[in-house]
Amino acid sequence: MGVSAAAPLWGPPGLLLTIALHPALSMRLAKASVALHRDYCILGAGPAGLQMAYFLQLAGRDYAVFERTPGPGSFFLRYPRHRKLISINKRYTGKTNAEFNLRHDWNSLLSHDPRLLFRHYSRAYFPDAGDMVRYLRDFTHRLGLQVLYNTTIAHVTLDKDRQAWNGHYFVLTDQKGQAYRCSVLLVATGLSVPNQVDFPGSEHVEGYESVSVDPEDFVGQNVLILGRGNAAFETAENILGVTNFIHMLSRSRVRLSWATHYVGDLRAINNGLLDTYQLKSLDGLLESDLADLAILKDREGKFHITLKYFLEEDNTNQSADSISLPQDDNDNFAMRVAYDRVIRCLGWNFDFSIFNKSLRLNSGSAFGKKYPLVRASYESKGSRGLFILGTASHSVDYRKSAGGFIHGFRYTVRAVHRLLEYRHHGVAWPCTEHPITQLTSTIIRRVNEASGLYQMFGVLADIVLLKENATAFQYLQEFPMQMLAQLETLVGRTARHGLFVINMEYGRNFSGPDKDVFFYDRSVGHTEDAWQSNFLHPVIYYYRDLPTEQEVRFRPAHWPLPRPTAIHHIVEDFLTDWTAPVGHILPLRRFLENCLDTDLRSFYAESCFLFALTQQKLPPFCQQGYLRMQGLASTESLRQHGVESGLLRGYSAAGRHPEDSSQQPGERDPAGHPPAPEPPGQSLEGNKEEL
Amino acid sequence: MMSSSLNAFRVGISFVTMCIFYKSPVHSLQEVSPQKYFSTLQPGKASLAYFCQADSPSTSIFLEELNQAVRPLQDYGISVAKVNCIKEETSKYCGKGKDSMKAYLFRGNILLREFPTDTLFDVNAIVAHVLFALLFNEVKYVTTQEDLQNTENSLKGKADIVFSYVRAIGTQEHRAVMEAAFVYGTTYQFVLTTEIALLESIGSEDIEYAHLYFFHCKLVLDLTQQCRRTLMGKPLTTLNIHLFIKTMKAPLLTEVAEDPQQVSTVHLQLGLPLVFIVSQQATYEADRRTAEWVAWRLLGKAGVLLLLRDSLEVKIPQHANVVFKKAEKGVPVEYLVLHDIDLIISHVENNMHIEEIQEDEDDDMEDPDMDIQDDEVAETVYRDRKRQLPLELTVELTEDTFNATVMASDSIVLFYAGWQAVSMAFLQSYIDVAVKLKGISSMLLTRINCADWSDVCTKQNVTEFPVVKMYKKGKSPLSYAGMLGTEDLLNFIQLNRVSCPVNLTSIREAEEYLSGELYKDLISYSNVSVLGLFSPTMASAKEDFTEAGSYLQGYVLTGIYSEDDVLILSNKYAVTLPALLLARHKEQKIESMPLVGTSAQDMVQIITDALLEAFPEITVENLPSYLRLQKPLLILFSDGSINPQYNKAILTLVKQKYLDSLTPCWVNLKNTPVGRGILQAYFDSPPPLPVLVLVNLHSSGHVFAFPSDQTITEQNLILWLKKLEAGLENHITILPAQEWKPPLPAYDFLSMIDAAAPQHPARKVPECMKETDVQENDKEQHEDKLTIRKEPIETLRIKHWNRTGSFPLQRAISGDIFDVITRSATGIW
């Protein structure tokens, strides 16, 4: 496809029309209508689509974003209906570490521009949706992202072609019949179809997407809300003060997000109705399967709840007066009262309609039909090269982590981009390489500040790939941990000498809808009990060999990864600050040492000097520092502390007997301190022979 | 819903694997009727049956224990059944009430023994009693000294005896002995007693515990002679007995003529060390007698070999008469000079503890030391945390000020992390530098805490701590690669005041440069000033030198002179162009060397080497640059400055090239007090100073001392070095060559998780199990007891090796050692 053909066609649609009408250009048109090519096509200019566009732009890739509305983030123009975002905008953390602060910023997208942080867009802890629209617009414009607005992709088909990156092209057709041929298709369309449950009388129900948000419209009414998510409670919250009562009906029990640690469950900010329900204020919650129900409208336009079963018994007359109601038999039936309004807030589904069958983009069976089925790499199981991003990709960690929300998927999008960079451009997953003596520090640094690990706990994990003989290592950030077995082929790095996986986890039995998360003694303080930590804490897995796909798939129940060779939990911390020398760093170092079978302590140059002249081998810290003329000098005050602690030997001036002046190596001093630095097993004297 | 279907799937998987690996008999207690039971008895096969009333409770302690005994007994070919007697049953085995219920042992349909259930009090008792009954001929039970003596006499010249004392029949140790007898009963006569008196009569002292002796009777030909006895030193467990008997079976003494490093015998595989007695042709007979004597003393503790030095191809040290090889892989052999057999024995015994299997289940987790800081840097920094440092002498940078600051003035930036001990230790030295430079340097000393300003550090490519970078206008940042200490950093900052290599423009300037006049205030930071001489046309050589000079920027002063009149200098210093002049300011000496065809990298090397001195005072700071030479160190330890005579003697030898293969140096214990620690490591008792030692760090680790009764003169030194070379000197010590292993264990959270879980998460065994997996599983079963047992790798390997050797998968899951030994379980009955 020549540039000459492409240039006018990417212009405004009006121009396209003029060109088409010009007979002299008919040849050109025929050529153009074949399809415009883009390496990467992104569907949807919402947060996920824009986030991916940013990474592609940064990498200098050929891409375009297709957006059916005239601006980015159109979802937020209407939703949430009551305009309050429930993702927190925490502007103050007491810290200046930008990466750390992202842990508490749930709205910003990732970029290099510090002005594009959401805290500059709203002062509210729960910001207004309009601010999000403004933010996304700025994000697009400031970064110069290429978005084709007013382009509704109506149809996506597959075009087999051996030359294509993935063995086929994705052919997108917009509302005007223009085709676009894409090597990789990135679907970030979110969940856009309201979930509707079909039952008799469902036509009487108003939807969340269209119901009035003016409380005046509900004054003195009996309201029934179907559903128990944040939308349902948000709706109830809005009209709580003016209705006679609100009843909420859904199949499952209410799940409180502070009990489940899942941000998609009912947030405390929306749970006013729970308060009034439990404080005997006429509002109430009921559990029943909607599919069993029927709604009847009576002559006065009020709604009665009955069972579908009754309707089927008597299908001659459908009026409320003749159909039997539950209360006819059971006069204390809870929903015997007539309702003025029934509102449906049952969530959303992914829009599968535009995808041709040949793409085999199916809905997952596990969590209902809400989400398309994807692998842990976010690639569709049906067609290679088709990735699902953003909210629609939440099937990977539904009800577990934050992959369905901006603060989570901004990281999974980055992971997908890194996978693509290696697959199509040979750019290996970015990593840093360090000597082994830096291993403890590198891990400590990440678990203390990394936001991707913190938000996408259990989904994205850092990987340490050891070099031969464990003298050095590579550090890879935020790899989709369920793809661990395929790591080598996905990131372009080798894992032949063992690896560590750094993940963050809640305690295994801590979270859940009916768990008491405030139980006494819920926190663990002792390092030896770290594995019983309940709050989110770092967990490090050590594998001598890369696990196989089989092992990942058939891992033990409730384990995020296969059984490792060894495991370490860093004890939970009230401040999420894992830098305590003895409480956090020391046990981690011991774990790493025992996995690598080496000594990872640090030593002053003076100690290395002593070892260098009295031992044939040196600990890694001396080898990689002192011997390379980068030893660590001690100062007078530090040396004094060292002698007091028994870790350093004091050598006083001449005249005194050497024996008195220092502690013998290998011996413990009376206070029970560990021996002065010595390789374990033998003291200096141990090897001496008689002449 | 999802999870339950998944679980069902998982159960399916594990069921399949069970079928594969447990195809040998079922392991639960079979329940049959008396009729059925007697019809299934096979001739020659042993069977244990517990008869009880059909209506009796289906669970009892006894039944639980019996259930547990099913597996082990099946391994010995003994089937186990619970026979349910119906009321009207007439079988005589069905007793009359509950109390009279008994267990019976049959071989075919012949009754061998009946056991009241109270004798079979636990699984150990069941296995011990049953094997005891079946091995009636192989295990002789004795109660008197006379019995024992008779047995011993009858076997002299015929077979060896395994004699054991156990505290009671039916105990765990009794079971261990019986299990051993099951395997070795046809090879050795087993004798068992529970009489303390009997044990006392053969001279045992510590009667508290079970004992096992090996009586070497087969060799005894004279009936009046007593059989030699070897006591097993370890607790009586099945595994220990097995290992012990294996070593008894091994030849007492083996002759070898190969590199001890390569020799391997059954002892090594069993985790025992080897002792080589070095022999020469001339003394062969005597050596062999000594070796045999040692071998008897070390029986069961180490393997003893006679090493024939004359037919040996590898060289072993002249004086070594004993070679000691540890069982651990990769540990180099030790060459020893031991003139007393007792010394050999004690050397072995002192090294024994490492190999010992830790049977007592010490809980490592409770070791309080694990939580005690053993990192000297972390601990000292922590202890010093409350001291206020004069931090105000350095500028603290932030995201907002970083760029502006480093752009505005020449700055040094220390990138550190507040929680990282090494960088906090260095921060102290850094502050010291600031103190020293206060008011005298235009360089701005700054620091940035990367724990607070992570992004800034990442943008500056800083991913580890500490890092020091120098930012100068118009230049890319320069990373400091020297020692993390006050002195070195100070030198670096000072030397960076000039940009190297300095371009010198006149002969006079060049001469001033060489004399130290030009950079008077800098020469104290760089002992050597380097000057490259090039004719104006030597473009590429100049380029290389410039590259080398800027690479060494901050570590050594370099200058370049390439004016038209450069020949004046080259003539003066008698060198052809291109050339290098080295001005040693301390010695006021100028050396020259030609530079033909040298790459920039080589020039760096030449200059770095030139910084080294002929007979330096070694300090903590400069040792690494001398170690790089990889030569043995000839060190003179001196309390205070060096005696000029010694200095002269050694420098003379250096000049005469006697010391080219060595690095001669000296240590001033006043400047480097840690040198005393080194002397302590070399000498048992502190020698009078000065003392001269030769340390062969890089090859053997041998340390030799110059005789303290001689004075350090040229002659004496030459003589001594010659003797050393000829191997005529004895080393005073060998530096240990251990690897640096983890100082302490880590918490074994995996075991804790396993212990807490109702089921092992790893119990799902993949269908095609590899050998290594078998082994791991095996280990896991040991760990069932919620304790962490550390077995040496050698032992595990033996298990593994045995298993693959003879009994492939039949009992692959079991942790028992005897499942693998060749004697068929069913064959003997």
Side-chain angles (χ1 to χ4, degrees), chain A residues 96 434 449 554 563 589-590 594 597 601-602 604 607 613 616-617 626 631 633 635 641 654 668 682, chain B residues 369-370 374-376 380 384 428 452 454 464 484 620 639 682 735-736 738 740-741 744 754 762 764:
Chain A
T96 55
H434 308 272
E449 65 181 30
F554 298 111
R563 187 182 171 86
R589 192 195 84 213
R590 296 213 191 285
N594 280 278
D597 199 27
R601 287 178 293 178
S602 42
Y604 288 113
S607 300
L613 289 173
Q616 292 191 43
K617 302 209 165 105
Y626 181 70
T635 62
H641 284 300
R668 278 157 200 237
Q682 198 158 17
Chain B
D369 280 351
M370 278 175 73
D374 51 3
D375 183 307
E376 60 191 44
T380 50
D384 206 38
Q428 300 207 355
D452 293 335
S454 185
E464 47 193 64
L484 302 174
V620 170
D639 196 8
Y682 293 170
L735 302 183
Q738 282 100 335
W740 285 75
K741 299 286 178 190
L744 284 174
D754 285 349
K764 293 179 301 153

Side-chain angles (χ1 to χ4, degrees), chain B residues 129-140:
Chain B
H129 274 289
V130 168
L131 289 179
F132 199 23
L134 289 171
L135 298 173
F136 183 72
N137 289 322
E138 279 116 331
V139 182
K140 205 165 185 148

Side-chain angles (χ1 to χ4, degrees), chain A residues 114-340:
Chain A
R115 291 172 302 173
L116 289 172
L117 286 173
F118 202 80
R119 62 189 161 94
H120 302 310
Y121 286 80
S122 170
R123 297 164 67 89
Y125 191 53
F126 294 103
D128 187 83
D131 294 331
M132 179 54 84
V133 178
R134 200 158 52 84
Y135 173 77
L136 293 176
R137 200 181 299 142
D138 273 13
F139 188 87
T140 314
H141 295 154
R142 273 226 180 112
L143 300 168
L145 305 180
Q146 297 160 37
V147 185
L148 293 172
Y149 296 109
N150 302 311
T151 308
T152 308
I153 299 300
H155 200 53
V156 181
T157 57
L158 217 54
D159 180 14
K160 292 241 184 280
D161 188 332
R162 271 204 226 147
Q163 303 292 312
W165 288 355
N166 291 300
H168 48 242
Y169 290 109
F170 299 93
V171 180
L172 280 51
T173 316
D174 71 9
Q175 77 275 21
K176 299 190 200 77
Q178 174 61 50
Y180 305 91
R181 198 181 65 161
C182 314
S183 302
V184 173
L185 179 60
L186 302 152
V187 179
T189 50
L191 302 180
S192 54
V193 184
N195 185 27
Q196 307 200 25
V197 176
D198 198 27
F199 56 84
S202 57
E203 68 275 11
H204 304 308
V205 171
E206 295 170 89
Y208 169 77
E209 61 280 3
S210 56
V211 72
S212 162
V213 292
D214 184 359
E216 288 302 313
D217 295 342
F218 297 86
V219 172
Q221 294 189 347
N222 302 346
V223 178
L224 176 67
I225 297 178
L226 307 178
R228 192 152 295 173
N230 277 301
F233 277 92
E234 165 200 318
T235 306
E237 189 86 12
N238 186 44
I239 54 174
L240 206 52
V242 293
T243 51
N244 297 338
F245 57 78
I246 302 169
H247 288 169
M248 293 184 89
L249 179 69
S250 85
R251 185 171 45 198
S252 56
R253 296 188 43 197
V254 63
R255 292 193 192 86
L256 300 164
S257 67
W258 44 260
T260 59
H261 299 296
Y262 174 64
V263 293
D265 285 333
L266 178 60
R267 301 285 305 284
I269 180 174
N270 279 333
N271 71 9
L273 185 128
L274 293 183
D275 192 61
T276 57
Y277 171 39
Q278 296 295 2
L279 296 177
K280 54 193 188 315
S281 304
L282 295 177
D283 303 319
L285 299 181
L286 296 148
E287 280 88 33
S288 170
D289 194 338
L290 298 182
D292 295 340
L293 295 183
I295 292 177
L296 298 172
K297 192 173 184 177
D298 68 13
R299 254 175 255 143
E300 289 149 41
K302 301 224 172 197
F303 303 109
H304 297 264
I305 304 299
T306 185
L307 298 174
K308 203 196 264 179
Y309 167 76
F310 290 134
L311 246 64
E312 280 156 5
E313 265 187 347
D314 179 12
N315 52 7
T316 47
N317 194 340
Q318 296 276 331
S319 95
D321 313 304
S322 57
I323 297 286
S324 35
L325 296 170
Q327 54 264 41
D328 297 345
D329 293 333
N330 202 351
D331 58 11
N332 63 347
F333 177 62
M335 290 188 288
R336 58 188 180 272
V337 71
Y339 295 98
D340 297 298

Side-chain angles (χ1 to χ4, degrees), chain B residues 395-456:
Chain B
V395 178
E396 181 167 18
L397 300 181
T398 67
E399 187 167 19
D400 303 325
T401 59
F402 186 91
N403 283 326
T405 309
V406 301
M407 303 256 266
S409 59
D410 290 356
S411 337
I412 289 263
V413 183
L414 167 64
F415 296 87
Y416 68 104
W419 49 264
Q420 207 245 2
V422 173
S423 60
M424 290 311 279
F426 179 55
L427 180 62
Q428 300 207 355
S429 302
Y430 190 72
I431 299 295
D432 284 349
V433 172
V435 170
K436 291 197 168 143
L437 286 179
K438 196 179 171 191
I440 59 163
S441 171
S442 61
M443 185 66 72
L444 187 65
L445 265 74
T446 68
R447 62 192 160 84
I448 184 161
N449 186 348
C450 296
D452 293 335
W453 305 103
S454 185
D455 280 9
V456 182

Side-chain angles (χ1 to χ4, degrees), chain A residues 96-99 366 432-435 438 441 444-445 449 508 527-528 530-531 553-557 559 563-569 579 581-582 585-587 589-591 593-594 597-599 601-607 609-619 621 626-633 635 637-638 641-642 644-645 647-649 651-654 657-659 661-662 664 668 672-674 677-682 684-685 687-691, chain B residues 2 9-10 13 326 334 336-337 343 353 369-384 387 419-420 422 425-426 428-429 432 450-455 457-458 462-465 481-485 618-621 623-625 627-628 633 635 639 672-678 680-684 686 695 697 699-701 730-747 749-750 752-754 756 761-762 764 776 780:
Chain A
T96 55
N97 187 319
E99 176 71 17
T432 53
E433 199 163 327
H434 308 272
Q438 290 284 341
S441 290
I444 288 290
R445 182 182 183 187
E449 65 181 30
R508 205 159 284 162
T527 51
E528 68 264 37
W531 62 281
R553 190 174 316 156
F554 298 111
R555 63 186 183 272
W559 282 63
R563 187 182 171 86
T565 311
I567 196 167
H568 183 70
H569 289 251
T579 58
V582 172
I585 303 177
L586 178 65
R589 192 195 84 213
R590 296 213 191 285
F591 167 74
E593 280 172 335
N594 280 278
D597 199 27
T598 189
D599 186 330
R601 287 178 293 178
S602 42
F603 296 98
Y604 288 113
E606 197 176 75
S607 300
F609 176 80
L610 179 71
F611 301 150
L613 289 173
T614 55
Q615 315 244 350
Q616 292 191 43
K617 302 209 165 105
L618 290 185
F621 189 85
Y626 181 70
L627 279 195
R628 295 184 185 161
M629 290 169 242
Q630 295 174 354
L632 173 69
T635 62
S637 133
L638 291 172
H641 284 300
E644 277 163 23
S645 70
L647 287 167
L648 287 177
R649 290 203 262 167
Y651 303 97
S652 58
H657 241 248
E659 270 96 350
S661 65
S662 76
Q664 287 300 304
R668 278 157 200 237
H673 281 299
E678 283 302 322
Q682 198 158 17
L684 287 176
E685 268 70 30
N687 229 17
K688 196 156 305 160
E689 284 82 41
E690 302 290 331
L691 270 170
Chain B
M2 170 65 186
F9 185 43
R10 284 195 178 129
I13 296 273
K326 288 194 178 171
E334 292 172 48
L336 311 172
V337 186
L343 288 178
H353 63 279
D369 280 351
M370 278 175 73
D371 278 339
I372 291 182
Q373 184 62 269
D374 51 3
D375 183 307
E376 60 191 44
V377 180
E379 180 66 12
T380 50
V381 166
Y382 183 74
R383 284 178 182 235
D384 206 38
R387 195 164 63 93
W419 49 264
Q420 207 245 2
V422 173
F426 179 55
Q428 300 207 355
S429 302
D432 284 349
C450 296
D452 293 335
W453 305 103
S454 185
D455 280 9
C457 303
T458 310
V462 173
T463 53
E464 47 193 64
F465 316 111
M483 183 149 158
L484 302 174
I618 285 290
T619 60
V620 170
E621 289 76 21
L623 176 70
S625 45
L627 285 182
R628 249 182 348 109
L633 296 174
I635 317 175
D639 196 8
T672 313
V674 62
R676 293 185 191 279
I678 296 166
Q680 280 170 38
Y682 293 170
F683 295 94
D684 285 330
V695 188
L697 274 179
S699 48
S700 62
N730 287 328
H731 54 261
I732 52 167
T733 188
I734 302 178
L735 302 183
Q738 282 100 335
E739 300 289 343
W740 285 75
K741 299 286 178 190
L744 284 174
Y747 293 118
F749 288 137
L750 204 53
M752 296 187 208
I753 294 167
D754 285 349
K764 293 179 301 153
E776 266 175 26
E780 237 161 63

Side-chain angles (χ1 to χ4, degrees), chain B residues 343-356:
Chain B
L343 288 178
I344 304 179
I345 309 297
S346 65
H347 186 88
V348 172
E349 283 172 350
N350 289 340
N351 281 287
M352 276 295 278
H353 63 279
I354 301 163
E355 289 92 40
E356 227 159 82

